[in-house]
Amino acid sequence: MTMRIKRYTCFLCLLLLTAAAQAQHGLNSIYSAYGIGDLEERDYSRNFGLGSTGIGRRNSGYLNELNPASYSALPTQSFMLDVSMKAQYLNYSGNNISQTASDLNFKRLALGFKAARFWGISAGITPFSTVNFKVLNNQFITGTGNPITAATTGTGGLNRAYISNGFQLNKHFSIGVSTGFLFGPLNTAQTTGSDSLITQHNTYTFKPNFTAGAQYVTKVTDKWQLGLGATYRFQTRMKLQQQLNIVNQDALSYYSEQLAPGYFTLPAEYGAGISLTNGALTWVADYRHQQWNNLSEKGLNYYYQDGQRFSTGVEYAINKQYYNRPIEALILQAGFSYNQSPLVIKNTSIHDIAGTLGASLPSKNGQLRYYIGIEAGQRGTTSNGLIKENYFNAVFNFSLRDLWFLKRLNQ
């Protein structure tokens, strides 16, 4: 049975990765055209159905990257693997604009295990930002007054690969650190009128980034446990390697130049969270704050200000016994989030509000868990010529938990 689950999971991972590679990237969000792209604020683990909330939650049943201190709660002699994908549907509205788009993308690959009784480790990769837009505008030929259409497209985005460690100092207090590596391309391409030449501005960066976390848990009654959490992501100054290319539609190069590097500063972010659980019913709430105000990151018609995010959620889990060991059976979730984006365009703040639902079921022996989370929300405004996005997201997560360390010791 275990070998069949392993084979099935490996096949599932390959299938998901293949589907992600072949996904149609048609979302075309104008909000990804600024800075290093559209910054990812969601968590694509079991936290998704709770409004991506979990800084203060300590649970041994899944990998919680929202707070690296949580990994000290991973079960001993266990190996855990998570794979997540997101399907998205968008409706755009604005001045004389009404469009729809859909997309399917890989969102998370993570694994974790207990290295020692007090020490848990997780490693994975997930998107950090996304660049995906196309803008059409009129330009005028000098001396003629005749307009021609210029098209600018943006592709790419940053990924975050990480290794996280959580350490339990005593039965109440844990700390952790996540070492992340931000990397990826940020590319734009421009064509003018019927010209067959394409002007490409390609950017690439690679930079480490660190996040520290802490959690405190204690019993408040015989049945209820309180959890408190805090995180701090350190400020990171990224060096952007830039190259200018002029190519034709067959990608034949006519001109190439290595430009002077640019720089972008990712601000510090602090977060705080609380959880209250009796094992079956759990309530969580988070607050996150990004400190952009002291930075000088800005451009034409846009700048960054301090951003903040509020989220909360409720989960109900039905617990069952499996070989005298309690496992979670059906899990139901509901959540809410409000995000005040740090991005300000034409002196207009961008707000994002959403509601979420989630459900999860284990396989017959509890080793494989299936999860689906859905989210409906709205981002942006039609004021000042901007675009409002009404969206619907569906997240599919598959999680394997296996006692492979114990089996190896018995062989």
Side-chain angles (χ1 to χ4, degrees), residues 56-58 171-174 215-219 225-228 275:
R57 188 174 191 190
R58 185 172 177 81
K171 68 177 183 178
H172 296 292
F173 192 62
S174 298
Q215 284 186 332
Y216 177 83
V217 294
T218 187
K219 287 280 190 180
Q225 176 178 278
L226 173 69
L228 302 174
S275 68

Side-chain angles (χ1 to χ4, degrees), residues 39 43 95 114 125 137 182 246 292 300 354 356 390 392 395:
L39 299 177
D43 181 70
N95 293 336
K114 203 68 169 284
I125 185 169
N137 64 302
L182 305 179
I246 298 178
W292 290 89
L300 182 63
T356 58
N390 294 301
F392 179 84
V395 169

Side-chain angles (χ1 to χ4, degrees), residues 46-47 49-50 57 59-62 279-282 314-320 327-334 357-362 369-373 399:
R46 180 167 143 183
N47 293 324
L50 299 169
R57 188 174 191 190
N59 186 290
S60 63
Y62 69 103
L281 186 64
T282 301
V314 177
E315 176 182 284
Y316 178 71
I318 299 175
N319 295 311
K320 293 186 176 181
I327 64 169
E328 293 174 318
L330 175 65
I331 294 173
L332 300 174
Q333 300 174 323
L357 296 173
S360 178
L361 277 171
R369 178 169 284 276
Y370 311 93
Y371 176 87
I372 182 171
S399 179

Side-chain angles (χ1 to χ4, degrees), residues 99-379:
Q99 296 180 354
T100 61
S102 58
D103 206 356
L104 175 67
N105 276 293
F106 164 79
K107 284 298 182 181
R108 169 180 158 104
L109 175 65
L111 57 87
F113 58 91
K114 203 68 169 284
R117 182 182 55 82
F118 62 92
W119 176 18
I121 299 177
S122 179
I125 185 169
T126 187
F128 186 81
S129 72
T130 303
V131 177
N132 192 358
F133 68 90
K134 183 175 183 179
V135 177
L136 302 177
N137 64 302
N138 289 328
Q139 297 183 357
F140 292 87
I141 301 175
T142 303
T144 68
N146 296 323
I148 58 175
T149 300
T152 303
T153 59
T155 58
L158 300 186
N159 297 302
R160 179 177 181 266
Y162 63 87
I163 300 176
S164 300
N165 294 269
F167 305 92
Q168 184 173 358
L169 303 183
N170 55 48
K171 68 177 183 178
H172 296 292
F173 192 62
S174 298
I175 60 173
V177 61
S178 182
T179 303
F181 302 91
L182 305 179
F183 66 96
L186 307 168
N187 300 330
T188 61
Q190 185 178 60
T191 58
T192 304
S194 60
D195 194 345
S196 62
L197 295 182
I198 304 170
T199 302
Q200 299 175 336
H201 185 190
N202 298 334
T203 302
Y204 185 85
T205 189
F206 178 91
K207 185 69 176 182
N209 173 258
F210 301 93
T211 301
Q215 284 186 332
Y216 177 83
V217 294
T218 187
K219 287 280 190 180
V220 290
T221 69
D222 289 341
K223 294 184 178 181
W224 289 90
Q225 176 178 278
L226 173 69
L228 302 174
T231 58
Y232 185 83
R233 186 187 69 196
F234 291 86
Q235 179 176 302
T236 301
R237 183 170 170 81
M238 294 182 286
K239 183 178 181 180
L240 308 176
Q241 303 290 347
Q242 304 181 94
Q243 184 167 330
L244 177 67
N245 299 317
I246 298 178
V247 301
N248 65 12
Q249 294 179 345
D250 296 323
L252 178 64
S253 178
Y254 285 84
Y255 178 80
S256 181
E257 179 185 355
Q258 190 74 33
L259 303 178
Y263 294 89
F264 187 91
T265 301
L266 184 69
E269 178 188 84
Y270 62 83
I274 185 173
S275 68
L276 190 64
T277 182
N278 65 358
L281 186 64
T282 301
W283 169 75
V284 290
D286 282 358
Y287 173 74
R288 285 184 265 167
H289 188 98
Q290 297 180 10
Q291 299 176 300
W292 290 89
N293 284 353
N294 295 328
L295 305 179
S296 58
E297 298 297 343
K298 59 183 178 181
L300 182 63
N301 292 326
Y302 79 93
Y303 64 92
Y304 288 92
Q305 65 180 7
D306 278 15
Q308 55 185 346
R309 187 179 193 274
F310 304 88
S311 62
T312 187
V314 177
E315 176 182 284
Y316 178 71
I318 299 175
N319 295 311
K320 293 186 176 181
Q321 294 291 321
Y322 180 77
Y323 286 102
N324 298 320
R325 178 171 59 92
I327 64 169
E328 293 174 318
L330 175 65
I331 294 173
L332 300 174
Q333 300 174 323
F336 169 84
S337 65
Y338 169 79
N339 183 36
Q340 178 185 307
S341 170
L343 180 63
V344 180
I345 306 174
K346 298 179 181 179
N347 293 318
T348 304
S349 297
I350 308 301
H351 303 275
D352 188 337
I353 185 170
T356 58
L357 296 173
S360 178
L361 277 171
S363 61
K364 186 175 181 180
N365 64 2
Q367 289 182 300
L368 188 62
R369 178 169 284 276
Y370 311 93
Y371 176 87
I372 182 171
I374 59 175
E375 178 184 44
Q378 182 181 100
R379 178 171 71 163

